[in-house]
Amino acid sequence: MKKVAAIIFIFVISIMFSVPVYAQTAKDIKGWNKAKWGMTETEIVSVFDGLVLKDKENPLDQYASLRIPKYSVGGIDFLVRFEMGSDDRLRRVVLVHEGSIASHFGQFEQLLTTKYGQAAQKDESKPSWTGYDKTTAWVLPSTKVGLNYTCTRGMGCALIIKYEDRSLMKDDVDKL
C-alpha cells in the first residue's frame, strides 16, 4: 500500500511541475506617462508639450505647482498634479476626479489590474456618518500605484489615482 501511495505522490508532483505557470509578471514603471521620477519642472513641461500649466505661487500647495487641468481616461476627466520633493524633483503624480460615483472605483480598479496585475493591498472602511473610503494599491519595484475612492459627508466623493516614487520609501526603510 505504501508503494502505491508513493507512486501516486510522485505522479502528482511530476504533473504539478510539468504544467506551465501563467502568472502575470508586474512590469516596472518609473513614473507616470511621460513623467519620470527625478525630473525637474522644466523637463516635465517639455515632455508634455503644452499640456502642463504652471500655477502661480500657492503657499498651501508648495510641492504641486504643475498641473494638467483636464486629462481624460475612460471617459472620466481628471486633474493631474505633479508633486515635487524637497529636492525639486518629481516624486509623486496624483490624478483627481471630484464628483465621482462608486462605479468609477470598479472601472479603474479593473483597468489598473489589467495593466499591473493583481493588487498588493486592498482596504475598505465601513460606511459611517462621516463618510466612506475604499483603496487598492499595486506595489511595483520603482512605483506604488494607489487607487482611492473617498466620500465625505457634505463634501462629496472623489476618485484619486496616485503614482509614488518608491525610492523615497526605500530610503526611509533603510534608516530603520
Side-chain angles (χ1 to χ4, degrees):
M1 186 65 166
K2 288 182 181 181
K3 283 185 178 182
V4 172
I7 292 171
I8 292 173
F9 176 76
I10 292 169
F11 177 74
V12 170
I13 294 296
S14 66
I15 289 176
M16 287 174 52
F17 285 109
S18 66
V19 176
V21 177
Y22 295 104
Q24 183 175 1
T25 320
K27 70 179 192 176
D28 192 21
I29 59 170
K30 296 179 186 210
W32 171 79
N33 201 306
K34 297 175 190 174
K36 303 301 175 216
W37 303 136
M39 282 183 149
T40 63
E41 286 187 353
T42 304
E43 292 170 326
I44 294 167
V45 170
S46 175
V47 297
F48 282 98
D49 197 31
L51 286 177
V52 174
L53 301 178
K54 184 160 176 71
D55 285 347
K56 296 177 183 172
E57 285 283 325
N58 181 351
L60 298 176
D61 204 4
Q62 63 183 347
Y63 295 110
S65 62
L66 297 179
R67 289 175 167 61
I68 297 176
K70 185 178 178 183
Y71 184 82
S72 294
V73 181
I76 308 296
D77 290 335
F78 289 90
L79 164 69
V80 179
R81 298 171 27 149
F82 297 90
E83 296 184 4
M84 312 305 275
S86 58
D87 60 354
D88 293 326
R89 301 279 180 171
L90 182 65
R91 299 297 175 210
R92 184 179 299 134
V93 178
V94 181
L95 290 77
V96 180
H97 174 72
E98 293 183 5
S100 193
I101 58 175
S103 64
H104 291 156
F105 183 87
Q107 175 185 351
F108 282 89
E109 185 176 46
Q110 183 176 12
L111 286 171
L112 291 165
T113 299
T114 299
K115 187 167 186 174
Y116 301 120
Q118 290 302 311
Q121 303 167 338
K122 287 188 176 203
D123 187 33
E124 187 171 350
S125 70
K126 293 185 180 189
S128 70
W129 68 273
T130 58
Y132 172 76
D133 213 26
K134 192 172 187 178
T135 61
T136 301
W138 293 261
V139 181
L140 307 174
S142 300
T143 303
K144 179 179 178 184
V145 181
L147 175 66
N148 179 259
Y149 177 72
T150 184
C151 289
T152 305
R153 186 176 181 177
M155 306 232 359
C157 300
L159 183 70
I160 301 162
I161 304 171
K162 191 182 300 183
Y163 291 78
E164 295 180 87
D165 181 357
R166 289 197 63 222
S167 69
L168 299 177
M169 181 187 301
K170 183 188 178 314
D171 292 344
D172 287 340
V173 168
D174 288 347
K175 292 177 185 176
L176 293 175

